[in-house]
Amino acid sequence: MAYEVLDRIIDSADELRAGADESERLGRLSDGVAKQLRRSGIIRLLQRKKYDGYEAHPREFAETVMKAASIYGSAGWIGGIVGVHPWQLAFADPKVQDEVLGGDTDTWQASPYMPGGVAIPVEGGFRLTGRWQFSSGTDHCDWIFLGAMVGDSEGKPLMPPTGLHVILPRADYEIVEDSWDVVGLRGTGSKDIVVTDSFIPEYRVMRSAEVIDGTAAKEYGVTETLYKMPWSTMFPLGITAATIGICEGVLAAGVDYQRERVGAAGTKIKDDPYVLHSLGEAAAEIDAARQQLLSNVDRIFDLVDAGKEIDFETRATARRNQIRSAWRAVRAADEIFDHSGGNALRMDNPLQRFWRDAHAGIHHAIHVTSTTYHAAALASLGVEVPAGPLRVMI
């Protein structure tokens, strides 16, 4: 059962914390931290039961990712991002599902989905060339999902653009070492990926529009509610859950630090009404962010389970709420950190790492507010949202 995964994450908390410093130095998850995540089963929560997965409710996935991130941010981030790839694999061609998971059901898959490459049509598939940033957890993955644009024979993207999600084995791409030197989420190892003229057979290619609108799942006769969920709900879920979980880590570390702290004026924080007010308000905001994200995914799941059509306005509203929950949590984390004094800046204080990781999390593309808020507002007014940036990731 999925709750067993959460229990294993909690039981491994000491090991995850102990591996944080090494992961930060390496710029990727240490082998020890990755081993604990594999043992927990967090990456298999959304995986098909056919391949030893749990087919967990998205809420259970989000709750487990939050817990992992509250212990060590980069571990939760990998759980959230790498953990969603088996969900998409579940409605890919059965042949590629067997290739990826048939031999080892603990095989991890990386991404990113941004169209960093051009795929030229050839007999039997495509030839792909490109470079992608932000491939989280990629050192521990043996397959990868990459976003690409269909191109002409000269390698120029066709217009209007046609997006693809292509699936490659580790032998067909290069991880660029030393391409992840950042201020936050250092342990995620979100390195660059390079592909040079690799052949991608047709069965390893998914049309991104069909992934977004659910056609891909219907094509292979998927019946489980989990795999009929909108991509724009599921892919952001792990990332936002990790970000909120990291903010819960800020709160826990902040409370622990303030417990015996004496402020600059010589007043114990326990007796400082201003800091206590700020801490109490921030705690309520982080909890509200958590509940907003979970109730959001519950609502979409229930609609899908009831056979309802998830139209653009519903998807846009869900994305708006998901984004808002992340920003709400990070702004509350700022309040905690800003009232923790100068010693919160010291590198041996875990509070600063959680705070840095929270801000790194909010910088992910799925947390950009502008276009999604704009699109959600237009849709609520009954205005047809035009194709282009306003519909991206909705």
Side-chain angles (χ1 to χ4, degrees):
M1 300 297 290
Y3 67 83
E4 296 172 347
V5 178
L6 179 59
D7 288 343
R8 286 194 288 269
I9 288 291
I10 294 170
D11 290 343
S12 66
D14 289 343
E15 289 85 356
L16 294 177
R17 291 191 190 98
D21 286 342
E22 182 185 3
S23 298
E24 299 287 300
R25 290 193 302 270
L26 292 171
R28 62 168 176 81
L29 288 189
S30 70
D31 292 344
V33 171
K35 184 177 181 180
Q36 291 298 328
L37 289 185
R38 287 187 192 277
R39 283 179 173 174
S40 74
I42 190 172
I43 306 302
R44 289 187 284 114
L45 279 171
L46 301 180
Q47 193 162 297
R48 294 180 69 189
K49 290 180 180 177
K50 175 181 178 181
Y51 297 109
D52 297 331
Y54 292 90
E55 295 185 14
H57 192 292
R59 164 184 275 268
E60 295 174 309
F61 171 67
E63 289 173 329
T64 307
V65 168
M66 287 179 185
K67 175 53 68 176
S70 74
I71 297 166
Y72 175 37
S74 289
W77 187 265
I78 298 305
I81 288 189
V82 177
V84 83
H85 298 141
W87 170 81
Q88 182 171 342
L89 188 67
F91 52 89
D93 189 301
K95 186 175 179 180
V96 72
Q97 293 185 48
D98 281 337
E99 280 187 329
V100 176
L101 296 173
D104 181 0
T105 56
D106 265 328
T107 298
W108 289 8
Q109 307 117 59
S111 52
Y113 292 96
M114 294 300 290
V118 175
I120 301 172
V122 296
E123 184 177 355
F126 296 84
R127 300 207 71 89
L128 177 68
T129 296
R131 181 167 180 147
W132 295 256
Q133 294 182 312
F134 309 120
S135 183
S136 296
T138 199
D139 287 291
H140 298 285
C141 297
D142 294 309
W143 286 78
I144 197 166
F145 284 85
L146 293 174
M149 305 299 292
V150 177
D152 60 21
S153 59
E154 297 179 354
K156 296 179 181 178
L158 297 177
M159 292 296 163
T162 300
L164 305 175
H165 293 172
V166 299
I167 307 171
L168 289 78
R170 180 67 186 84
D172 289 356
Y173 59 92
E174 173 191 352
I175 298 172
V176 181
E177 296 298 335
D178 301 323
S179 58
W180 187 243
D181 186 12
V182 290
V183 70
L185 292 172
R186 291 182 60 84
T188 64
S190 302
K191 299 175 183 178
D192 292 8
I193 299 298
V194 172
V195 175
T196 305
D197 196 33
S198 288
F199 174 68
I200 317 295
E202 179 66 38
Y203 71 87
R204 291 193 200 145
V205 177
M206 306 177 79
R207 273 62 184 173
S208 56
E210 295 176 356
V211 171
I212 299 290
D213 69 12
T215 302
K218 294 176 184 176
E219 181 178 350
Y220 290 110
V222 170
T223 59
E224 299 90 346
T225 299
L226 173 62
Y227 303 120
K228 293 192 289 185
M229 288 284 287
W231 190 88
S232 60
T233 297
M234 292 300 295
F235 174 67
L237 180 63
I239 299 167
T240 302
T243 303
I244 293 173
I246 291 166
C247 293
E248 291 177 329
V250 173
L251 175 61
V255 168
D256 186 61
Y257 175 59
Q258 298 281 28
R259 189 168 283 112
E260 303 301 330
R261 179 172 165 249
V262 176
T267 302
K268 292 181 178 180
I269 298 305
K270 293 176 181 178
D271 298 324
D272 187 328
Y274 306 107
V275 174
L276 294 178
H277 178 277
S278 180
L279 190 62
E281 184 175 56
E285 283 293 286
I286 291 171
D287 185 63
R290 177 189 182 91
Q291 302 310 323
Q292 183 176 34
L293 182 68
L294 295 176
S295 65
N296 194 49
V297 75
D298 279 345
R299 174 173 174 265
I300 299 298
F301 187 91
D302 289 346
L303 288 171
V304 173
D305 196 47
K308 304 292 186 182
E309 181 70 24
I310 309 300
D311 60 17
F312 180 83
E313 181 179 356
T314 303
R315 299 200 312 268
T317 299
R319 280 280 286 128
R320 179 201 68 196
N321 291 347
Q322 166 256 319
I323 291 171
R324 181 57 192 159
S325 68
W327 281 89
R328 188 178 196 173
V330 173
R331 289 296 173 253
D334 284 343
E335 280 295 302
I336 296 168
F337 192 76
D338 290 348
H339 287 84
S340 295
N343 284 317
L345 298 168
R346 298 189 182 279
M347 297 303 287
D348 62 353
N349 188 332
L351 183 55
Q352 53 76 29
R353 178 184 291 146
F354 281 116
W355 180 76
R356 287 187 289 109
D357 288 350
H359 279 270
I362 210 67
H363 277 255
H364 193 285
I366 64 125
H367 288 142
V368 172
T369 60
S370 53
T371 52
T372 300
Y373 284 9
H374 185 169
L378 281 178
S380 72
L381 295 172
V383 177
E384 178 66 22
V385 177
L390 292 181
R391 284 183 171 262
V392 171
M393 292 191 289
I394 295 176

